[in-house]
Coordinates of all heavy atoms in Angstrom, one line a residue:
M1 N 72.7 122.7 130.7 CA 73.1 123.5 129.6 C 71.9 124.4 129.3 O 70.7 124.1 129.4 CB 73.3 122.6 128.4 CG 74.7 122.1 128.2 SD 75.0 121.2 126.7 CE 74.2 119.7 126.9
K2 N 72.3 125.6 128.7 CA 71.3 126.5 128.2 C 70.6 126.0 127.0 O 71.1 125.1 126.3 CB 72.0 127.9 127.9 CG 72.5 128.6 129.1 CD 73.2 129.8 128.7 CE 73.8 130.4 130.0 NZ 74.7 131.6 129.6
K3 N 69.4 126.6 126.6 CA 68.7 126.0 125.5 C 69.5 126.1 124.2 O 69.5 125.0 123.5 CB 67.4 126.7 125.3 CG 66.5 126.2 124.4 CD 65.2 126.7 124.3 CE 64.3 126.2 123.1 NZ 63.0 126.6 123.2
A4 N 70.1 127.2 123.9 CA 70.9 127.4 122.7 C 72.0 126.3 122.6 O 72.3 125.7 121.6 CB 71.5 128.7 122.6
E5 N 72.6 126.1 123.8 CA 73.8 125.1 123.8 C 73.3 123.7 123.7 O 73.9 122.9 123.0 CB 74.5 125.2 125.2 CG 76.0 124.8 125.1 CD 76.7 125.3 126.4 OE1 76.2 125.0 127.4 OE2 77.7 125.8 126.3
T6 N 72.1 123.4 124.2 CA 71.5 122.1 124.0 C 71.2 121.9 122.6 O 71.4 120.7 122.1 CB 70.2 122.0 124.9 OG1 70.5 122.1 126.3 CG2 69.5 120.7 124.7
N7 N 70.6 122.8 121.9 CA 70.3 122.7 120.5 C 71.6 122.5 119.7 O 71.7 121.7 118.7 CB 69.6 124.0 120.0 CG 68.1 124.1 120.5 OD1 67.6 123.1 120.9 ND2 67.7 125.2 120.6
R8 N 72.6 123.3 120.0 CA 73.9 123.0 119.3 C 74.4 121.7 119.6 O 75.0 121.0 118.6 CB 74.9 124.2 119.9 CG 76.2 123.9 119.2 CD 77.2 125.1 119.5 NE 78.6 124.9 119.1 CZ 79.1 124.7 117.8 NH1 78.2 124.8 116.8 NH2 80.3 124.5 117.6
F9 N 74.4 121.2 120.8 CA 74.8 119.7 121.1 C 74.1 118.8 120.2 O 74.7 117.9 119.6 CB 74.6 119.5 122.5 CG 74.9 118.0 122.8 CD1 76.2 117.6 123.0 CD2 73.9 117.1 123.0 CE1 76.5 116.3 123.2 CE2 74.2 115.8 123.2 CZ 75.4 115.4 123.3
K10 N 72.8 118.9 120.2 CA 71.9 118.0 119.4 C 72.3 118.0 117.9 O 72.5 116.8 117.4 CB 70.4 118.3 119.6 CG 69.8 118.0 120.9 CD 68.4 118.3 121.0 CE 67.8 118.1 122.3 NZ 66.4 118.5 122.5
E11 N 72.6 119.1 117.4 CA 73.0 119.2 116.0 C 74.4 118.6 115.7 O 74.6 117.7 114.8 CB 73.1 120.7 115.6 CG 73.5 120.9 114.1 CD 73.7 122.4 113.8 OE1 73.0 123.2 114.4 OE2 74.7 122.7 113.1
L12 N 75.3 119.0 116.6 CA 76.7 118.3 116.5 C 76.6 116.8 116.7 O 77.4 116.1 116.1 CB 77.6 119.0 117.5 CG 77.9 120.5 117.1 CD1 78.8 121.0 118.2 CD2 78.7 120.5 115.7
Y13 N 75.9 116.4 117.7 CA 75.8 115.0 118.1 C 75.3 114.2 116.8 O 75.8 113.1 116.6 CB 74.7 114.8 119.3 CG 74.6 113.4 119.7 CD1 75.6 112.9 120.6 CD2 73.5 112.7 119.5 CE1 75.4 111.5 121.1 CE2 73.3 111.4 120.0 CZ 74.3 110.9 120.7 OH 74.0 109.6 121.2
Q14 N 74.2 114.7 116.1 CA 73.7 114.0 115.0 C 74.8 114.0 113.9 O 74.8 113.0 113.1 CB 72.4 114.6 114.5 CG 71.2 114.5 115.4 CD 70.9 113.0 115.6 OE1 70.9 112.2 114.7 NE2 70.7 112.6 117.0
R15 N 75.5 115.1 113.7 CA 76.5 115.2 112.7 C 77.7 114.0 113.0 O 78.1 113.3 112.0 CB 77.1 116.5 112.6 CG 78.1 116.7 111.5 CD 78.8 118.0 111.6 NE 77.9 119.2 111.7 CZ 78.3 120.4 112.0 NH1 79.6 120.7 112.2 NH2 77.5 121.3 112.2
H16 N 77.9 113.9 114.2 CA 78.9 113.0 114.7 C 78.3 111.6 114.4 O 79.2 110.8 113.8 CB 79.2 113.1 116.2 CG 80.0 112.1 116.9 ND1 81.4 112.1 116.5 CD2 79.9 111.3 117.9 CE1 81.9 111.1 117.2 NE2 81.0 110.6 118.0
L17 N 77.1 111.3 114.6 CA 76.7 110.0 114.4 C 76.7 109.7 112.9 O 77.0 108.5 112.4 CB 75.2 109.8 115.0 CG 75.0 109.8 116.4 CD1 73.6 109.7 116.8 CD2 75.8 108.7 117.2
R18 N 76.2 110.6 112.1 CA 76.3 110.5 110.6 C 77.7 110.2 110.2 O 78.0 109.3 109.3 CB 75.8 111.7 109.8 CG 74.3 111.7 109.9 CD 73.8 112.8 108.9 NE 74.3 114.1 109.2 CZ 73.7 115.1 110.0 NH1 72.7 114.6 110.7 NH2 74.3 116.2 110.2
S19 N 78.7 110.8 110.7 CA 80.1 110.8 110.3 C 80.5 109.3 110.6 O 81.3 108.8 109.8 CB 80.9 111.8 111.0 OG 82.4 111.5 110.8
L20 N 80.2 108.8 111.9 CA 80.6 107.5 112.2 C 80.0 106.4 111.3 O 80.7 105.5 110.8 CB 80.3 107.2 113.6 CG 81.0 108.0 114.7 CD1 80.4 107.8 116.1 CD2 82.4 107.7 114.6
K21 N 78.8 106.6 110.8 CA 78.1 105.7 110.0 C 78.8 105.8 108.5 O 79.0 104.7 108.0 CB 76.6 106.0 109.9 CG 75.9 105.7 111.1 CD 74.5 106.1 110.9 CE 73.8 105.8 112.3 NZ 72.4 106.4 112.4
L22 N 79.1 107.0 108.1 CA 79.8 107.1 106.8 C 81.2 106.5 106.9 O 81.6 106.0 105.8 CB 79.9 108.6 106.4 CG 78.6 109.3 106.0 CD1 78.8 110.7 105.8 CD2 78.1 108.6 104.8
Q23 N 81.8 106.4 108.0 CA 83.2 105.8 108.1 C 82.9 104.2 108.3 O 83.9 103.6 108.5 CB 83.8 106.3 109.4 CG 84.2 107.7 109.2 CD 84.8 108.3 110.6 OE1 85.6 107.5 111.3 NE2 84.4 109.5 111.1
D24 N 81.6 103.8 108.2 CA 81.4 102.4 108.4 C 81.9 101.7 109.6 O 82.3 100.5 109.7 CB 81.9 101.6 107.0 CG 81.3 100.2 106.8 OD1 80.1 100.2 107.1 OD2 81.9 99.4 106.4
K25 N 81.6 102.4 110.7 CA 82.0 101.9 112.0 C 80.8 100.9 112.4 O 79.7 101.1 111.9 CB 82.0 103.0 113.1 CG 83.0 104.1 112.8 CD 84.4 103.6 113.0 CE 85.4 104.7 113.0 NZ 86.8 104.3 112.9
S26 N 81.2 99.9 113.3 CA 80.1 99.0 113.6 C 79.2 99.7 114.5 O 79.4 100.8 115.2 CB 80.9 97.8 114.5 OG 81.3 98.2 115.7
Q27 N 78.0 99.1 114.8 CA 76.9 99.6 115.5 C 77.5 99.8 117.1 O 77.2 100.8 117.6 CB 75.6 98.9 115.5 CG 74.5 99.4 116.2 CD 74.1 100.9 115.6 OE1 74.2 101.1 114.4 NE2 73.8 101.8 116.5
K28 N 78.2 98.8 117.5 CA 78.5 98.8 118.9 C 79.6 99.9 119.2 O 79.6 100.6 120.1 CB 79.2 97.5 119.2 CG 78.2 96.5 119.5 CD 78.7 95.4 120.4 CE 77.6 94.3 120.6 NZ 76.8 94.5 121.8
T29 N 80.5 100.2 118.0 CA 81.5 101.3 118.1 C 80.8 102.6 118.1 O 81.1 103.5 119.0 CB 82.4 101.2 116.9 OG1 83.1 100.0 117.0 CG2 83.4 102.4 116.9
I30 N 79.7 102.8 117.3 CA 79.0 104.0 117.3 C 78.3 104.2 118.6 O 78.4 105.3 119.2 CB 77.9 103.9 116.1 CG1 78.6 103.9 114.8 CG2 76.9 105.1 116.1 CD1 77.7 103.7 113.5
E31 N 77.7 103.3 119.2 CA 77.1 103.3 120.5 C 78.0 103.8 121.6 O 77.8 104.7 122.4 CB 76.3 102.0 120.8 CG 75.2 101.8 120.0 CD 74.6 100.4 120.2 OE1 75.1 99.6 121.1 OE2 73.7 100.0 119.5
A32 N 79.2 103.2 121.5 CA 80.2 103.5 122.5 C 80.7 104.9 122.4 O 80.9 105.7 123.3 CB 81.4 102.5 122.4
Y33 N 81.0 105.3 121.1 CA 81.4 106.7 120.9 C 80.4 107.7 121.3 O 80.7 108.7 121.9 CB 81.8 106.9 119.4 CG 83.1 106.2 119.0 CD1 83.8 105.4 119.8 CD2 83.7 106.7 117.8 CE1 85.0 104.7 119.4 CE2 84.9 106.1 117.3 CZ 85.5 105.2 118.1 OH 86.7 104.6 117.7
A34 N 79.1 107.4 120.9 CA 78.0 108.4 121.3 C 77.8 108.4 122.7 O 77.6 109.5 123.2 CB 76.8 107.8 120.5
R35 N 78.0 107.4 123.5 CA 77.8 107.3 124.9 C 78.9 108.2 125.6 O 78.6 108.9 126.4 CB 77.9 105.9 125.5 CG 77.6 105.8 126.9 CD 77.5 104.3 127.4 NE 78.5 103.4 126.8 CZ 78.3 102.5 125.9 NH1 77.0 102.3 125.4 NH2 79.2 101.6 125.4
A36 N 80.1 108.0 125.0 CA 81.2 108.9 125.6 C 80.9 110.4 125.4 O 81.2 111.2 126.3 CB 82.5 108.5 124.8
V37 N 80.4 110.8 124.3 CA 80.1 112.1 123.9 C 79.1 112.7 125.0 O 79.2 113.8 125.5 CB 79.8 112.4 122.5 CG1 79.2 113.8 122.3 CG2 80.9 112.1 121.6
R38 N 78.0 111.8 125.1 CA 76.9 112.1 126.0 C 77.4 112.3 127.5 O 77.1 113.2 128.2 CB 75.8 111.1 125.9 CG 75.0 111.3 124.7 CD 73.7 110.4 124.8 NE 73.8 109.0 125.3 CZ 74.1 108.0 124.6 NH1 74.2 108.1 123.3 NH2 74.3 106.8 125.2
R39 N 78.2 111.4 127.8 CA 78.7 111.4 129.3 C 79.6 112.6 129.5 O 79.5 113.3 130.5 CB 79.5 110.2 129.6 CG 78.6 109.0 129.7 CD 79.2 107.7 129.9 NE 79.8 107.7 131.3 CZ 80.5 106.7 131.7 NH1 80.9 105.7 131.0 NH2 81.0 106.8 133.0
I40 N 80.4 113.0 128.6 CA 81.3 114.1 128.7 C 80.4 115.4 128.8 O 80.6 116.3 129.6 CB 82.2 114.3 127.5 CG1 83.3 113.2 127.6 CG2 82.8 115.7 127.5 CD1 84.2 113.0 126.4
S41 N 79.4 115.5 128.0 CA 78.5 116.6 128.0 C 77.7 116.7 129.4 O 77.6 117.9 129.9 CB 77.5 116.5 126.8 OG 76.7 117.6 126.9
E42 N 77.3 115.6 129.9 CA 76.6 115.6 131.1 C 77.5 115.9 132.2 O 77.2 116.8 133.1 CB 76.0 114.3 131.3 CG 74.7 113.9 130.4 CD 74.4 112.5 130.5 OE1 74.7 111.8 131.4 OE2 73.4 112.1 129.8
R43 N 78.7 115.4 132.3 CA 79.7 115.6 133.3 C 80.1 117.1 133.4 O 80.2 117.7 134.6 CB 80.9 114.9 133.0 CG 82.2 115.2 133.8 CD 82.1 114.7 135.2 NE 83.3 114.8 135.9 CZ 83.8 115.9 136.5 NH1 83.0 117.0 136.5 NH2 84.9 115.8 137.2
F44 N 80.3 117.8 132.3 CA 80.7 119.2 132.3 C 79.5 120.3 132.1 O 79.7 121.4 132.1 CB 81.8 119.5 131.4 CG 83.2 118.7 131.7 CD1 83.5 117.5 131.1 CD2 83.9 119.2 132.8 CE1 84.6 116.8 131.4 CE2 85.1 118.5 133.2 CZ 85.4 117.4 132.4
D45 N 78.4 119.6 131.8 CA 77.2 120.4 131.7 C 77.5 121.5 130.5 O 77.1 122.7 130.7 CB 76.8 121.1 133.0 CG 75.3 121.7 132.8 OD1 74.5 121.1 132.0 OD2 75.1 122.8 133.3
C46 N 78.1 121.1 129.5 CA 78.3 122.0 128.2 C 78.6 121.2 127.0 O 78.8 119.9 127.2 CB 79.5 122.8 128.5 SG 81.1 122.1 128.6
C47 N 78.4 121.9 125.9 CA 78.7 121.2 124.6 C 80.2 120.8 124.6 O 81.0 121.7 125.0 CB 78.3 122.1 123.6 SG 78.1 121.4 121.9
P48 N 80.5 119.5 124.2 CA 82.0 119.2 124.2 C 82.9 120.1 123.4 O 84.1 120.1 123.8 CB 81.9 117.8 123.6 CG 80.6 117.2 123.9 CD 79.7 118.4 123.8
D49 N 82.4 120.9 122.5 CA 83.3 121.7 121.8 C 83.6 122.9 122.6 O 84.6 123.7 122.2 CB 82.8 122.0 120.4 CG 81.5 123.0 120.4 OD1 80.8 122.8 121.5 OD2 81.3 123.7 119.5
K50 N 83.0 123.1 123.6 CA 83.3 124.3 124.5 C 84.2 123.9 125.7 O 84.5 124.7 126.6 CB 82.0 124.8 125.2 CG 81.1 125.3 124.1 CD 81.7 126.5 123.3 CE 80.6 127.0 122.3 NZ 81.2 127.9 121.3
L51 N 84.7 122.6 125.8 CA 85.5 122.2 126.9 C 86.9 122.9 126.7 O 87.5 123.0 125.7 CB 85.7 120.7 127.0 CG 84.5 119.8 127.3 CD1 84.7 118.4 127.1 CD2 84.1 120.1 128.7
T52 N 87.4 123.2 127.9 CA 88.8 123.8 127.9 C 89.8 122.6 128.0 O 89.5 121.6 128.4 CB 89.0 124.8 129.1 OG1 88.8 123.9 130.3 CG2 87.9 125.7 129.2
L53 N 91.0 123.1 127.7 CA 92.1 122.1 127.7 C 92.2 121.5 129.3 O 92.4 120.4 129.4 CB 93.4 122.7 127.4 CG 94.6 121.8 127.3 CD1 94.4 120.6 126.3 CD2 95.9 122.7 126.9
E54 N 92.0 122.4 130.2 CA 92.1 122.1 131.6 C 91.0 121.1 132.0 O 91.2 120.2 132.9 CB 92.0 123.2 132.5 CG 93.1 124.2 132.4 CD 93.2 125.0 131.2 OE1 92.1 125.4 130.7 OE2 94.2 125.5 130.8
Q55 N 89.9 121.0 131.3 CA 88.8 120.1 131.6 C 89.1 118.8 131.0 O 88.8 117.8 131.6 CB 87.4 120.7 131.2 CG 86.9 121.8 132.0 CD 85.7 122.5 131.3 OE1 85.8 122.8 130.1 NE2 84.7 122.7 132.1
R56 N 89.8 118.8 129.8 CA 89.9 117.6 129.1 C 91.1 116.8 129.6 O 91.1 115.6 129.7 CB 90.1 117.9 127.6 CG 88.8 118.3 127.0 CD 89.0 118.5 125.5 NE 89.8 119.9 125.4 CZ 90.3 120.3 124.3 NH1 90.2 119.6 123.2 NH2 90.9 121.5 124.3
E57 N 92.2 117.5 129.9 CA 93.4 116.9 130.2 C 93.4 115.8 131.2 O 93.8 114.7 131.0 CB 94.6 117.8 130.5 CG 95.3 118.2 129.3 CD 96.5 119.1 129.6 OE1 96.6 119.6 130.8 OE2 97.4 119.3 128.8
P58 N 93.0 116.1 132.5 CA 93.0 115.1 133.6 C 92.3 113.9 133.2 O 92.8 112.7 133.6 CB 92.3 115.8 134.7 CG 92.4 117.3 134.4 CD 92.4 117.4 132.9
R59 N 91.2 113.9 132.6 CA 90.5 112.7 132.3 C 91.2 111.8 131.3 O 91.1 110.5 131.5 CB 89.1 113.0 131.8 CG 88.3 111.8 131.3 CD 87.9 110.9 132.5 NE 87.1 109.8 132.2 CZ 87.7 108.6 132.1 NH1 89.0 108.3 132.4 NH2 87.0 107.6 131.8
F60 N 91.9 112.3 130.4 CA 92.5 111.4 129.3 C 93.9 111.1 129.7 O 94.5 110.2 129.1 CB 92.4 112.2 128.0 CG 91.0 112.4 127.5 CD1 90.5 113.7 127.3 CD2 90.3 111.3 127.2 CE1 89.2 113.8 126.8 CE2 88.9 111.4 126.8 CZ 88.4 112.7 126.5
Q61 N 94.4 111.6 130.7 CA 95.8 111.3 131.2 C 95.6 110.1 132.2 O 96.7 109.4 132.3 CB 96.6 112.5 131.8 CG 96.9 113.5 130.9 CD 97.6 114.7 131.5 OE1 97.4 114.9 132.8 NE2 98.2 115.5 130.8
R62 N 94.5 110.1 132.8 CA 94.5 109.0 133.9 C 93.2 108.3 133.7 O 92.1 108.9 133.2 CB 94.5 109.6 135.3 CG 95.6 110.4 135.7 CD 95.5 110.8 137.2 NE 94.3 111.7 137.4 CZ 94.1 113.0 137.1 NH1 95.2 113.6 136.4 NH2 93.1 113.6 137.4
G63 N 93.1 107.1 133.9 CA 91.9 106.3 134.0 C 91.0 106.6 135.2 O 91.6 107.4 136.1
R64 N 90.1 105.9 135.5 CA 89.2 106.2 136.8 C 90.0 105.9 138.0 O 89.8 106.5 139.0 CB 87.9 105.3 136.6 CG 87.0 105.8 135.6 CD 85.8 105.0 135.6 NE 84.9 105.4 134.4 CZ 83.8 104.9 134.1 NH1 83.3 103.9 134.9 NH2 83.0 105.4 133.1
S65 N 91.0 104.9 137.9 CA 91.6 104.5 139.1 C 92.7 105.6 139.3 O 93.5 105.4 140.4 CB 92.3 103.2 138.9 OG 93.3 103.3 137.8
G66 N 93.1 106.5 138.5 CA 94.1 107.5 138.7 C 95.5 106.9 138.0 O 96.4 107.6 138.0
V67 N 95.3 105.7 137.5 CA 96.6 105.1 136.9 C 96.5 105.4 135.4 O 95.4 105.5 134.8 CB 96.5 103.6 137.1 CG1 97.7 103.0 136.3 CG2 96.5 103.3 138.5
P68 N 97.6 105.8 134.7 CA 97.5 106.2 133.3 C 96.9 105.0 132.6 O 97.1 103.8 132.9 CB 99.1 106.2 133.0 CG 99.7 106.6 134.2 CD 98.9 106.0 135.3
S69 N 96.1 105.4 131.7 CA 95.2 104.4 130.9 C 95.9 104.2 129.4 O 96.1 105.1 128.7 CB 93.8 105.0 130.8 OG 93.1 104.2 129.9
K70 N 95.9 103.0 129.1 CA 96.3 102.7 127.8 C 95.3 103.0 126.7 O 95.6 103.2 125.5 CB 96.6 101.1 127.6 CG 97.8 100.7 128.3 CD 98.2 99.1 128.0 CE 99.3 98.8 128.8 NZ 99.6 97.4 128.6
S71 N 94.1 102.9 127.1 CA 92.9 103.3 126.3 C 92.9 104.7 125.8 O 92.1 105.0 124.9 CB 91.5 103.0 126.9 OG 91.3 103.9 128.0
T72 N 93.7 105.6 126.3 CA 93.8 106.9 125.8 C 93.9 107.0 124.3 O 93.5 107.9 123.6 CB 94.9 107.8 126.5 OG1 94.7 107.6 128.0 CG2 95.0 109.1 126.0
A73 N 94.8 106.0 123.8 CA 95.2 106.0 122.3 C 93.8 105.7 121.4 O 93.7 105.9 120.3 CB 96.1 105.0 122.0
T74 N 92.8 105.1 122.2 CA 91.6 104.7 121.4 C 90.4 105.6 121.6 O 89.3 105.3 121.4 CB 91.2 103.3 121.7 OG1 90.9 103.2 123.1 CG2 92.3 102.4 121.3
V75 N 90.7 106.8 122.3 CA 89.6 107.7 122.6 C 89.0 108.2 121.2 O 89.7 108.5 120.3 CB 90.2 109.0 123.3 CG1 89.1 110.0 123.3 CG2 90.5 108.6 124.7
P76 N 87.7 108.2 121.0 CA 87.1 108.5 119.7 C 87.4 109.9 119.4 O 87.4 110.7 120.2 CB 85.6 108.2 120.1 CG 85.5 108.3 121.5 CD 86.7 107.8 122.1
Q77 N 87.5 110.0 118.0 CA 87.6 111.4 117.5 C 86.1 111.9 117.4 O 85.4 111.2 116.7 CB 88.2 111.4 116.1 CG 89.7 111.0 116.2 CD 90.3 111.1 114.9 OE1 89.6 111.3 113.8 NE2 91.7 110.9 114.8
C78 N 85.9 113.0 117.9 CA 84.6 113.5 118.0 C 84.5 114.5 116.8 O 84.7 115.7 117.1 CB 84.2 114.2 119.4 SG 84.2 113.0 120.7
R79 N 84.3 114.0 115.6 CA 84.2 114.9 114.6 C 83.1 115.9 114.7 O 81.9 115.5 115.1 CB 84.1 114.1 113.2 CG 85.2 113.2 113.0 CD 85.2 112.6 111.6 NE 86.1 111.6 111.4 CZ 87.4 111.8 111.2 NH1 87.8 113.1 111.1 NH2 88.3 110.8 111.0
G80 N 83.3 117.1 114.4 CA 82.3 118.1 114.6 C 82.3 118.8 115.9 O 81.7 119.7 116.2
F81 N 83.1 118.2 116.8 CA 83.2 118.8 118.2 C 84.5 119.4 118.4 O 84.8 119.7 119.6 CB 82.9 117.6 119.3 CG 81.6 117.1 119.4 CD1 81.0 116.0 118.8 CD2 80.6 117.9 120.1 CE1 79.8 115.6 118.9 CE2 79.3 117.6 120.2 CZ 78.9 116.4 119.5
S82 N 85.2 119.6 117.5 CA 86.5 120.3 117.7 C 86.7 121.5 116.8 O 85.9 121.9 116.0 CB 87.6 119.3 117.4 OG 87.5 118.8 116.0

């Protein structure tokens, strides 16, 4: 990521963490959601709010095995990233 994009990611990431804490999510939930956001950012080398629909769709339609995933319904809402 470019420096400006990295700074934007850090700002949004901190806002996301604060939002989860204000929602009184458990620490393990916060860690899981935060890990998901970091992994998405690393995978696509961009801030998650810049992902295109084409980049997002395949991952959330299929699990890692290529089989539709039930966990799609529990994908964390990335507040501040949309």
